[in-house]
Amino acid sequence: MLPVKYSVRNLARRPLRTGLTMLGIAMVVALIALLYAFQRGLTDALENAADPAVVYLVSLGAESDPIRSAIDRGQAETVANDLPGVFEDENGRHVSIEVHQVSSLILPEDAGDEKPREYTAIVRGVERSAYLLHEDVFITDGRAPRGDFEMLVGSLAADRMGLPQSRLATGERVLFEGVEWTIVGHFVAPGAPVEGELWVHLEDLMNASRRTDVTLVMAKLRDADQIDYVSLFCSDRTDLEVMMQTEKQWYANLLALMAPIALIGQALAVMVFIGGVIGATNTLYAAALARTQELAVVQTLGYQRIEVGFGLLMESMLLAAIAGIAGVAIAASVGDVSLRMPMGAYRFRASGEDVVVALIAAGLIGVLGALIPAVRIARMPLLKALAK
Amino acid sequence: MFKWISMLALIAGLSVVAACSDGGEEVDTPRGDTPAPKTDKSILGEMPEVDEAHRVTPDTLLESSPKEGDVYVMRGRISDVVSGFHQMKVVGKGNLVFCGEGDNSDDHCSTPWDYCCMDPDELKSLTVTVKFLDEAGEHPMKAKGKRGYRHLDIVDVSGTFTKGPAGDWVLNATSLKQVERPEEGSHWKWPDTVSADVSAK
């Protein structure tokens, strides 16, 4: 086998070419890491966050589009009181009646304009019991809204609406549904889409929106075995006209909405990878051709063709490994990025799993990129190579 | 070397014996799960003999109300199956097509049994709840393994009628017979409720 230091020295002999090739591979690896992180983060946020004992009751026919769900307020109260199998503790029944709606938010300073700029906000009207169910919600400053048109802001809400964080600071005011709301606090919900929402008191939202119906009733059951009894309740109580979805089904529906975007992400990752392989092949092929005579001399010294080809492969793998580490570092430097979703937002950041995938991609680029040049050199007749 | 050959032969022999002894009783295996018990035979059966006046479909109930206590045979299409219990919703067949059938063939809904292509109020008026009560007559029977029926099957169900909480009809059923099963659409997404019956032909 050709000594390793021969491969290392060859990389250093042409620093500009080596540097540019490394940069190209590093960018490919960084992109692959970020695209993979995007898709993994989406799945984690929507699928893996589901609690098997949590159910959502929506109006009949609204299972695929919860915004369309409308349950009469009185019927929602009946559901909340009569639903079987609900978990109870000293705080009461873990049932939450909620309104989910999309509203156009206006900043007070723009209210006087003829056409004020509107920001699309996901607003959730809740009661105190909601904080029992949404265990992933943590208030980081201020407090929950108590009424009087107060609002609790999710940590990704500003990003989602394209507003600076300072504009939604505690004490600031915003307008929607013709009412001025005061921000009284902020919350985080790591990994959950609700982080992009604005939470207000249920009655305030219903009054401001002049609505007499709610979107859903959310309930935490004693255990997942109670789900069949909830299903039976929905079938028996035809007067309530509700149907049940498990939280897993709920998030699966949201994920389905994002499926086209995830598919584009996958396609991009594959195209970027192929581009990286082609680029590396092109560069390494040119480099190998420029060294044809040198490599022929190496053969005359007693090294086999396969050993020479393997030496080229090692150079390529070494180059790709260094570039891969650089690419991973670039991806990691991107930090926390929040992305909008149809019903919220989620935080996306490259993690350990993404690093492994990216390094494997780098390794494959190194192997595949050197394959053609290595085979070419190994098959070239010695005399012809020496004459070049 | 001989020791290794005889070891390999022993392992191979044990494997063959284990494979042969897996024959046993055929069980119904739901998708990806452990083997399930046999179908609940207690609800599947032949229909009782009734006269034409006692043969109904959910839509005919709109025209004339059934008599309390009389045994009827109702034919309809299953639109919903309750998870874990022998209880379902049956809709009137008549000229009622599900989403994606007949003139609706352009509809590629993945859950055609929800009849979302239909007016909700009309659908509600054509829907009957069917429940198979347990021996105590209070709660629906629990369903285990294969049910023998699934969404969109046309079935005959026999039993007596009562009124539900919304003034709708509820059939307290005693037996069910599958009449027809539509060709499965490749884009359908079956709910977990009937996973054991999905591949049944």
Side-chain angles (χ1 to χ4, degrees):
Chain A
M1 274 247 311
L2 284 170
V4 176
K5 62 179 178 182
Y6 176 74
S7 302
V8 174
R9 207 169 53 224
N10 278 327
L11 287 178
R13 271 166 58 189
R14 293 171 183 82
L16 183 61
R17 173 180 280 170
T18 301
L20 287 172
T21 308
M22 267 193 203
L23 185 63
I25 295 175
M27 297 309 295
V28 164
V29 168
L31 266 172
I32 289 174
L34 290 170
L35 286 168
Y36 188 81
F38 163 73
Q39 188 169 323
R40 181 191 48 75
L42 200 60
T43 311
D44 286 349
L46 292 182
E47 235 176 30
N48 301 339
D51 186 332
V54 169
V55 295
Y56 295 81
L57 285 98
V58 298
S59 57
L60 289 175
E63 59 271 24
S64 58
D65 190 3
I67 284 287
R68 284 174 40 216
S69 173
I71 306 173
D72 176 79
R73 183 71 163 96
Q75 286 180 333
E77 290 286 352
T78 304
V79 169
N81 291 329
D82 294 356
L83 196 68
V86 172
F87 177 77
E88 286 187 61
D89 60 12
E90 63 275 8
N91 296 309
R93 281 167 68 84
H94 284 224
V95 183
S96 171
I97 298 174
E98 301 183 2
V99 165
H100 297 189
Q101 73 180 43
V102 177
S103 289
S104 294
L105 186 143
I106 297 172
L107 302 176
E109 56 267 32
D110 298 337
D113 297 349
E114 194 177 323
K115 282 189 181 178
R117 183 166 174 191
E118 295 179 343
Y119 302 88
T120 304
I122 308 290
V123 184
R124 188 183 294 234
V126 298
E127 298 177 313
R128 289 178 61 84
S129 56
Y131 299 92
L132 298 174
L133 274 95
H134 294 277
E135 295 172 334
D136 47 6
V137 169
F138 299 96
I139 296 177
T140 52
D141 71 273
R143 55 174 174 76
R146 289 197 278 250
D148 295 328
F149 302 104
E150 295 176 339
M151 176 188 296
L152 188 67
V153 174
S155 61
L156 297 183
D159 283 344
R160 198 192 172 281
M161 290 187 283
L163 283 169
Q165 292 287 343
S166 57
R167 194 53 196 83
L168 295 183
T170 303
E172 292 288 339
R173 293 166 196 272
V174 295
L175 293 168
F176 68 86
E177 304 298 340
V179 173
E180 188 172 87
W181 303 75
T182 306
I183 296 170
V184 296
H186 296 83
F187 70 90
V188 295
V194 300
E195 254 189 314
E197 294 179 359
L198 308 175
W199 283 26
V200 300
H201 194 62
L202 178 68
E203 296 299 336
D204 286 348
L205 184 59
M206 291 183 71
N207 289 335
S209 307
R210 285 177 285 279
R211 59 189 296 168
T212 56
D213 53 70
V214 300
T215 306
L216 56 85
V217 177
M218 181 182 174
K220 183 172 174 68
L221 306 177
R222 288 196 294 271
D223 51 66
D225 292 340
Q226 303 301 317
I227 285 176
D228 286 349
Y229 293 95
V230 173
S231 184
L232 189 62
F233 172 84
C234 295
S235 177
D236 281 340
R237 296 298 299 271
T238 48
D239 55 319
L240 299 174
E241 297 186 333
V242 292
M243 56 168 295
M244 177 202 74
Q245 275 196 321
T246 60
E247 189 161 64
K248 188 176 175 184
Q249 290 166 336
W250 182 268
Y251 282 142
N253 287 340
L254 284 181
L255 196 61
L257 291 174
M258 299 293 284
I261 298 171
L263 201 61
I264 290 171
Q266 286 169 359
L268 270 173
V270 169
M271 280 163 31
V272 161
F273 174 73
I274 292 172
V277 168
I278 292 171
T281 301
N282 191 44
T283 306
L284 292 166
Y285 191 72
L289 281 182
R291 293 163 55 198
T292 306
Q293 214 172 36
E294 171 201 328
L295 293 170
V297 168
V298 168
Q299 287 180 63
T300 63
L301 292 174
Y303 289 98
Q304 303 292 319
R305 287 183 190 179
I306 195 164
E307 288 172 315
V308 172
F310 199 75
L312 278 176
L313 191 65
M314 202 171 1
E315 279 179 42
S316 172
M317 298 249 344
L318 191 60
L319 187 142
I322 298 169
I325 293 168
V328 160
I330 294 170
S333 69
V334 168
D336 280 355
V337 175
S338 69
L339 294 176
R340 297 183 195 185
M341 282 170 46
M343 287 300 296
Y346 86 94
R347 206 180 296 271
F348 126 75
R349 175 205 290 173
S351 75
E353 190 180 330
D354 312 315
V355 165
V356 169
V357 168
L359 289 175
I360 290 173
L364 284 172
I365 290 173
V367 168
L368 296 171
L371 211 54
I372 293 174
V375 168
R376 175 85 162 85
I377 293 297
R379 289 179 64 182
M380 187 177 286
L382 185 58
L383 284 176
K384 186 177 173 184
L386 282 169
K388 275 198 173 281
Chain B
M1 170 113 156
F2 183 70
K3 188 169 124 186
W4 284 110
I5 292 171
S6 48
M7 188 81 82
L8 281 170
L10 180 65
I11 292 169
L14 285 171
S15 304
V16 168
V17 169
C20 290
S21 66
D22 253 356
E25 190 186 350
E26 205 176 289
V27 291
D28 303 315
T29 307
R31 285 181 302 194
D33 289 336
T34 54
K38 292 280 188 186
T39 312
D40 278 327
K41 295 292 184 190
S42 55
I43 70 160
L44 300 181
E46 290 300 316
M47 293 295 109
E49 291 293 326
V50 297
D51 57 25
E52 278 308 307
H54 286 81
R55 288 190 176 277
V56 297
T57 54
D59 47 336
T60 62
L61 295 176
L62 294 174
E63 295 157 16
S64 63
S65 300
K67 288 182 190 166
E68 200 173 326
D70 281 11
V71 173
Y72 288 81
V73 172
M74 181 180 73
R75 177 169 290 194
R77 194 187 291 276
I78 298 174
S79 64
D80 186 38
V81 175
V82 175
S83 171
F85 296 95
H86 282 299
Q87 181 162 325
M88 66 202 78
K89 300 282 187 188
V90 168
V91 299
K93 188 176 186 299
N95 59 357
L96 185 67
V97 294
F98 58 84
C99 306
E101 186 187 30
D103 290 342
N104 284 341
S105 58
D106 287 341
D107 189 326
H108 295 290
C109 176
S110 60
T111 54
W113 41 83
D114 59 14
Y115 286 90
C116 58
C117 51
M118 199 179 160
D119 177 69
D121 289 330
E122 188 187 356
L123 178 65
K124 190 176 158 187
S125 68
L126 297 174
T127 302
V128 174
T129 303
V130 173
K131 35 172 97 179
F132 289 84
L133 297 178
D134 57 18
E135 284 176 5
E138 289 178 9
H139 304 291
M141 286 171 59
K142 289 213 171 169
K144 295 170 189 167
K146 279 182 71 172
R147 293 168 179 264
Y149 57 86
R150 67 183 193 199
H151 297 68
L152 296 182
D153 282 353
I154 295 175
V155 294
D156 280 340
V157 197
S158 67
T160 55
F161 283 97
T162 56
K163 279 281 191 177
D168 51 313
W169 289 111
V170 176
L171 181 70
N172 292 319
T174 49
S175 64
L176 177 147
K177 181 182 173 187
Q178 189 194 65
V179 173
E180 188 183 309
R181 174 163 285 180
E183 193 178 323
E184 188 174 332
S186 56
H187 52 280
W188 292 359
K189 273 189 197 168
W190 292 102
D192 293 338
T193 323
V194 290
S195 60
D197 290 86
V198 166
S199 57
K201 297 291 178 194

